[in-house]
Amino acid sequence: MKKLLSLCLLLSFFTFSETFAQNNRRHDTNYNGWFMYFGTHKLTDKWGLHTEFQLRRYQVVSHPQQFLPRVALTYSLSDRASVAAGYAYVRTYPYGDNPAREAFPEQRTYQQLQLRDQQGIFILQHRFRLEQRWIKFPGAEDYTYLNRARYQFRATLPLQGATLEDKEFYLGLYDEVFVNFGPNVTQNIFDQNRAYAAVGYRFHKDATLEVGYLHQHVAQRNGIWFESNHTLQVGLTYNLDFRKKNPAPQE
């Protein structure tokens, strides 16, 4: 009987705690615009240089949200697999109903494994990324170190035939989940989720343009505020080939 009573009290405590946590949560809805450039440039048959620049705006274009340049060294394991290691700088500005007190910087290193596959007419991609983050939160004198893991699954569907060719449209879909781990994780292990759908146009194999919608669900570190960010995304990909060209044979 005592064990049953103790169990009931324990269940009641967890139920009350969860109900309180749910009632204590606050939600912030924002409308943003992300304008992006990506390029993975071939240095040799195996090695490459990834460059990236993202200008993220609050209220679509009106106010700054984030500024993010990224660079990485890539290595091709095969036609379907590659690895990368790189660095990103992120500057986040106050935005939304629960803004930071001031803009703050983040220094980030990361490692990545990317796998590609073809199933019927679908082009599939899996991206696994580990991030080491040093964030100087507003009012702090020192940087806080955080770890984060990300997994993205993407599918590309040609819209003008069984394969994606030059000068054709396609549909791009992805979902990406972010999870915090290690020291200094506060109220949430779950960091955010991104769900994305876009229409793209392939100019040629090294140049594409995508315009789409991203829903970003973000859990802030205090465990109380949750963001629902409706985001217009415009992304240009343009890859360059810096490999030495063999001279044409002379006749």
Side-chain angles (χ1 to χ4, degrees):
M1 187 66 181
K2 290 183 178 180
K3 290 183 178 181
L4 181 58
L5 180 60
S6 299
L7 181 60
C8 291
L9 289 173
L10 188 62
L11 290 174
S12 299
F13 171 77
F14 282 119
T15 302
F16 173 79
S17 299
E18 180 63 22
T19 302
F20 178 79
Q22 292 285 347
N23 291 336
N24 201 36
R25 288 181 178 177
R26 304 184 69 179
H27 296 272
D28 178 16
T29 299
N30 303 298
Y31 298 90
N32 304 321
W34 292 5
F35 306 94
M36 307 170 294
Y37 158 77
F38 306 93
T40 301
H41 315 297
K42 291 183 179 179
L43 305 177
T44 69
D45 290 344
K46 291 289 188 180
W47 292 96
L49 180 68
H50 176 80
T51 56
E52 181 178 331
F53 177 78
Q54 298 192 32
L55 185 64
R56 300 175 176 178
R57 305 290 292 181
Y58 172 54
Q59 293 182 344
V60 185
V61 295
S62 301
H63 306 287
Q65 183 199 19
Q66 283 184 323
F67 166 83
L68 191 157
R70 192 188 331 254
V71 64
L73 193 62
T74 67
Y75 183 78
S76 177
L77 300 172
S78 68
D79 292 339
R80 296 188 175 185
S82 65
V83 292
Y87 166 81
Y89 173 81
V90 185
R91 187 165 186 84
T92 301
Y93 297 87
Y95 71 94
D97 292 338
N98 185 44
R101 288 187 295 170
E102 58 188 13
F104 61 93
E106 174 184 344
Q107 313 278 347
R108 183 187 302 174
T109 57
Y110 73 99
Q111 304 80 40
Q112 175 178 295
L113 170 65
Q114 189 164 288
L115 305 175
R116 294 174 294 276
D117 195 11
Q118 179 100 28
Q119 295 292 333
I121 64 173
F122 290 95
I123 304 166
L124 305 179
Q125 178 179 291
H126 304 268
R127 191 178 75 184
F128 305 87
R129 181 179 290 178
L130 289 176
E131 295 177 329
Q132 301 80 44
R133 310 167 67 202
W134 291 265
I135 306 174
K136 192 172 184 180
F137 291 108
E141 295 184 0
D142 298 317
Y143 282 82
T144 298
Y145 175 73
L146 295 166
N147 290 297
R148 188 166 67 182
R150 301 168 54 169
Y151 168 67
Q152 182 192 97
F153 174 72
R154 176 183 169 112
T156 301
L157 174 65
L159 294 178
Q160 295 175 253
T163 60
L164 181 59
E165 306 294 340
D166 294 348
K167 299 181 180 179
E168 289 187 357
F169 289 93
Y170 64 89
L171 180 65
L173 304 167
Y174 77 67
D175 191 82
E176 184 170 15
V177 62
F178 297 60
V179 177
N180 300 311
F181 68 96
N184 299 321
V185 175
T186 54
Q187 300 298 320
N188 56 297
I189 295 175
F190 169 79
D191 181 80
Q192 62 179 277
N193 188 83
R194 298 178 183 176
Y196 172 77
V199 174
Y201 182 77
R202 172 172 152 166
F203 298 97
H204 56 79
K205 66 181 181 65
D206 289 319
T208 61
L209 177 68
E210 289 188 9
V211 179
Y213 166 76
L214 172 76
H215 180 260
Q216 182 192 30
H217 180 66
V218 181
Q220 293 190 6
R221 294 184 79 239
N222 55 28
I224 297 174
W225 279 92
F226 289 78
E227 297 178 25
S228 181
N229 296 329
H230 303 281
T231 305
L232 167 69
Q233 280 201 178
V234 180
L236 172 67
T237 297
Y238 191 78
N239 304 320
L240 299 173
D241 192 342
F242 292 107
R243 292 177 295 181
K244 293 183 178 180
K245 302 296 190 297
N246 293 325
Q250 298 181 355
E251 297 181 357

